Amino acid sequence: MQAFTQLNGLVAPLDRANVDTDAIIPKQFLKSIKRSGFGVNAFDEWRYLDHGEPGMDNIKRQINPDFVLNQARYQGASILLTRENFGCGSSREHAPWALEDFGFKVIIASSYADIFYNNCFKNGMLPIVLSADIVDSLFKQVMATPDYKLQVDLAAQTVSTPSGETFNFSVDAFRKHCLLNGLDDIGLTMQHQDKIKAFEARHQQAQPWLYN
Amino acid sequence: MAKTLYDKLFDSHVVHEENGAALIYIDRHLVHEVTSPQAFEGLRLANRKPWRVESIVATADHNTPTNGWDKGLAGIADPVARLQIETLTENIAEFGAKAYFPFMDARQGIVHVVGPEQGATLPGMTVVCGDSHTSTHGAFGALAHGIGTSEVEHVMATQCLVQKKSKAMQVLVEGQLGPMVTAKDVALAIIGKTGTAGGNGYAIEFAGSAIRGLSMEGRMTLCNMAIEAGARAGMVAVDDTTINYIKGRPYAPKADQWDAAVVYWRTLQSDAGAEFDLVVRLQAEDIKPQVTWGTSPEMVVAIDGRVPSLDLAKNAVQKADWERAYAYMGLQPNTPISEIRIDKVFIGSCTNSRIEDLRAAAAVAKGKRVAANVKLALVVPGSGLVKAQAEQEGLDKVFSDAGFEWRQPGCSMCLAMNADRLEAGERCASTSNRNFEGRQGQGGRTHLVSPAMAAAAAIAGHFVDISQQ
């Protein structure tokens, strides 16, 4: 996994609450057996005016000019600013894969659905929780300011605005450690294989029917 | 100290703790074709083997067609979908599994129907699957939740997951449910109260006399929709209903271990005096049949209600949400729910495709005809065994006589990955779990209801209050 330490990135505002993973990556694209290439279909039903299917030449498709991520000023954005309960619904990891492939490394919202939040960390992405009031003020600043960038520092756990305001955010120590160092957590867990084996032996003795 | 059921399940699976994160051991790993190929590929690339093949139970469900089975795999018109189904078969052949129910096997079906039906889901287990509706299995007093594909690979490789313990919520439903009021209505009423983010960070235990009175099918429906309240895991304590359901199923403990298992299982309930971080109470008698009107399961009202008006929105963000929902759903505020006419009906999904669901829908449909304005009324059993049972009871005939289509098992139009879907603008009474924009097909409009409510809507052509008939 790619490490994440700091980012000074252009911010794109997606002003909706409860954005679900069906919206982030519609089901027809989940048929792929690969892990990459989902970015062109991120937010497919909002982003294009025609119906998308896997294998289409997306360059030739009809773009929805009203969708915020299609606006010229947000091209190249790496920070997605959005509202509460982002990533609700299906557990599809294709959602963070699509967002990451689209170019987002950081998401800022007042809350996330649990599974989506967890999935982000497995893909070198940082989902940041800030209060609804701060998120609201960031929305106002992004809308009002062309080329609005935020500075994100994972080690310091801060988000800084161009005007010099700094907000702190929390993140679990373990997730932070893995993200800062780009650690593959299967490798980390394998360091505990003796403990897993010992647990398994005790567990089998206590509940032998689980091992039939 | 008094423990909650969640405490007992979590604590009994901790392998190691460090930095506030626990490594928990996973007993059952359910696998389907959509979220597993990249995980198997990851194992292959890292030259890893599954830690415990015997924990894996797999089936194909999301992409499988619900008709045209006479042509076999060749009947799957979409080559990308076919490849994904074939890839699961190849991966299981290479890596192994305790049980695999491939496309068209007599026991194939929706993974969350198949697991319990086979006795592969047992009380006290930790159960995971690359699927958010894994919360279903919590109905057995198990700790069950959905995971992403990276975690699917992690569980395959290590039999463990890195977890932070959730907070505990208790949802207490006391009293007696009214006639024609089902577990689905309870689930939707709870979500209407908590909101879809209300359960974020929590594991929910459903308790109270109304829950005790539910069958296992009903408890599965309820736990299935815990994720729609934002909680990854939902659960119900073990009782006689649980134990009677499991007895005699293919993978249930056999005679020599059964008694010991039952003794342990009976401890799987919250201790008296156990403390929850949050308690939500509902009175069963207050719950009426529910119908969602919008694009999130929390946008729900009782059948005798109306599409809410904007002045009822709690803040500006919700107001904007509702305005988008009116437009997407093609509905005006204050429209009575019973006046909403539908184009299609879907009875199925991991929420409501079990035998009890089909019986409830058939009881309403018996001797009636699907209304002329309803273009398609689909009944999709949750598994091959549910289908066989229903056919034995003559339910297929009841549905066919009434003008419903009786299909082969699978996820079908719940998420419309196969050919079963809504066209843009079509309105559907659906027994599934999500009414998100585009969920059942781009531009499709979903109203979530119980099986009996869906059948009644199919007959009337619009929503009707079955508790008043």
Side-chain angles (χ1 to χ4, degrees), chain A residues 27 51 93 118 200 212, chain B residues 25 98 150-151 257 438 442:
Chain A
K27 83 279 289 173
H51 176 75
E93 196 163 319
N118 199 37
E200 206 162 40
N212 287 336
Chain B
Y25 185 85
K98 179 184 186 72
S150 294
E151 288 184 323
Q257 293 174 333
Q442 190 165 2

Side-chain angles (χ1 to χ4, degrees), chain A residues 108-165:
Chain A
I108 299 176
S110 57
S111 65
Y112 300 88
D114 293 344
I115 302 176
F116 174 84
Y117 181 78
N118 199 37
N119 284 341
C120 284
F121 287 96
K122 311 288 180 191
N123 292 283
M125 294 170 71
L126 176 62
I128 294 175
V129 179
L130 293 176
S131 75
D133 288 345
I134 296 172
V135 167
D136 215 39
S137 84
L138 291 176
F139 264 103
K140 290 191 179 107
Q141 293 177 41
V142 177
M143 311 278 204
T145 323
D147 201 33
Y148 185 88
K149 289 185 173 173
L150 287 170
Q151 174 76 35
V152 176
D153 185 333
L154 176 57
Q157 295 179 217
T158 56
V159 175
S160 307
T161 69
S163 62
E165 278 178 296

Side-chain angles (χ1 to χ4, degrees), chain A residues 18 85, chain B residues 167 169 190-191 193-202 204 226-231 278 280 298:
Chain A
N18 301 311
N85 202 27
Chain B
K167 291 178 283 182
M169 184 193 301
I190 292 167
I191 295 162
K193 192 171 167 114
T194 62
T196 51
N200 284 356
Y202 288 95
I204 299 179
I227 184 67
E228 262 50 73
L278 182 65
V280 174
E298 71 183 22

Side-chain angles (χ1 to χ4, degrees), chain B residues 174-193:
Chain B
E174 298 287 2
Q176 177 97 38
L177 292 171
M180 309 302 271
V181 178
T182 66
K184 181 63 163 288
D185 303 300
V186 177
L188 288 169
I190 292 167
I191 295 162
K193 192 171 167 114

